Amino acid sequence: MKGFLIVNKPAGITSFDAVKKVKTILREKKIGHVGTLDPFAEGVLILALGRYTKLFFLFDDMPKEYIAVGVFGESRDTDDINGNILKVSDKKNILSFSELENIIKKNFYGNIIQKPPIYSAKRINGQRAYNMARENIDFEIKSVNVCVNEIELLEYDYPFFKIKTSVSKGTYIRAIIRDIGEITGNFAYTKELHRTAIGNFTIDKALDLNDISNKNILSFFDMFENIDKKIIENENYIKQIFCGNTKMIENINFKNKYLALTDKENNLIALIEKENINKKNKNIFAFINS
């Protein structure tokens, strides 16, 4: 079995739990997911089945869109509603809508430096940060450069505020909410988090876990219908490609970042990635033999 699923992860379960349920429904052992959603969060979770788990890199550059509700007045160790309260603000710095909007746009748009939450999946010396945090181990998380493509203040009624944002891979919305609290002098944590899109894969295309069946599995070209492709008709060439011999197709030229090689039935054989469009092609193959 191979393919993709776009699911709507409900709040209250982990991304791993969602994958586990789909494995049971489809009776497929090899399933992975793109971009972990926190247990309290809900929304778009893309799953890859079988050998298509080799293709997660195709989603790396896709922006992720979120709608989040923050709460002023407290900081929490997880930066979300499930965490323990660390600090409570001793003052109500109630800003106007325009004041808060200006602060958000000034400090959280474009390339920013962000410190991930200590309760995150970041690896510290080989260990997950959230496991170390739970065990009360002292450690430091390094700040990282991330990109906020869009950010908008949708609603604001102190202490609650709602934002909509589109961000690059590795950006934590919980950290944005936390830092909005720090900058305004109020403290803040994330009450609700909804991922509404990964690239063009939007929430309206997502299936509830209880509605999933084999009929819902999407093919490679269902997901990437605009990708360039070339048909390999020679069966001997196809066998050689699956064995790792790519000499017969090393001189294929293509303009875009990826080229899909297919057989006559439109089955994906391999994916070629152009390392640098301004240099000679360096082909990297992800073989998808079924």
Side-chain angles (χ1 to χ4, degrees), residues 4-10 13-20 22 31-38 41-49 56 59 64-66 194-198 201-203 205-209 212 218 223:
F4 297 96
L5 285 168
I6 306 170
V7 304
N8 182 7
K9 187 193 88 68
I13 67 170
T14 66
S15 297
F16 177 79
D17 291 334
V19 170
K20 186 177 179 181
V22 175
I31 300 179
H33 65 81
V34 176
T36 301
L37 277 174
D38 296 316
E42 60 185 55
V44 175
L45 190 69
I46 296 177
L47 309 185
L49 287 63
F56 282 140
F59 301 94
K64 296 180 175 68
E65 183 181 277
Y66 297 89
H194 307 263
R195 184 154 68 199
T196 53
I198 297 177
F201 307 113
T202 53
I203 191 66
K205 299 176 183 177
L207 295 166
D208 291 338
L209 292 176
I212 288 172
L218 301 171
M223 295 289 284

Side-chain angles (χ1 to χ4, degrees), residues 114-233:
Q114 181 184 83
K115 191 166 188 176
I118 60 169
Y119 283 86
S120 67
K122 292 286 185 181
R123 287 192 179 274
I124 310 295
N125 298 324
Q127 297 187 60
R128 296 291 187 186
Y130 55 73
N131 286 329
M132 298 174 71
R134 288 168 184 159
E135 295 173 10
N136 295 317
I137 299 172
D138 289 332
F139 64 95
E140 182 70 22
I141 288 188
K142 293 182 179 179
S143 297
V144 295
N145 293 311
V146 297
C147 183
V148 179
N149 306 306
E150 298 175 17
I151 190 163
E152 180 183 359
L153 179 62
L154 298 178
E155 298 174 14
Y156 173 46
D157 184 13
Y158 188 92
F160 305 103
F161 61 100
K162 180 185 287 188
I163 62 171
K164 179 180 180 180
T165 184
S166 173
V167 299
S168 66
K169 179 183 178 181
T171 307
Y172 285 88
I173 309 304
R174 284 181 288 147
I176 290 177
I177 298 287
R178 174 201 67 205
D179 293 343
I180 290 172
E182 291 289 338
I183 288 174
T184 60
N186 286 286
F187 304 128
Y189 66 88
T190 304
K191 178 177 181 287
E192 298 174 16
L193 182 60
H194 307 263
R195 184 154 68 199
T196 53
I198 297 177
N200 293 324
F201 307 113
T202 53
I203 191 66
D204 59 297
K205 299 176 183 177
L207 295 166
D208 291 338
L209 292 176
N210 292 329
D211 295 332
I212 288 172
S213 71
N214 287 334
K215 296 179 181 179
N216 306 128
I217 297 174
L218 301 171
S219 72
F220 177 85
F221 292 106
D222 288 331
M223 295 289 284
F224 303 100
E225 58 184 12
N226 294 322
I227 202 164
D228 294 335
K229 61 181 176 180
K230 180 178 177 61
I231 299 173
I232 306 297
E233 296 187 0

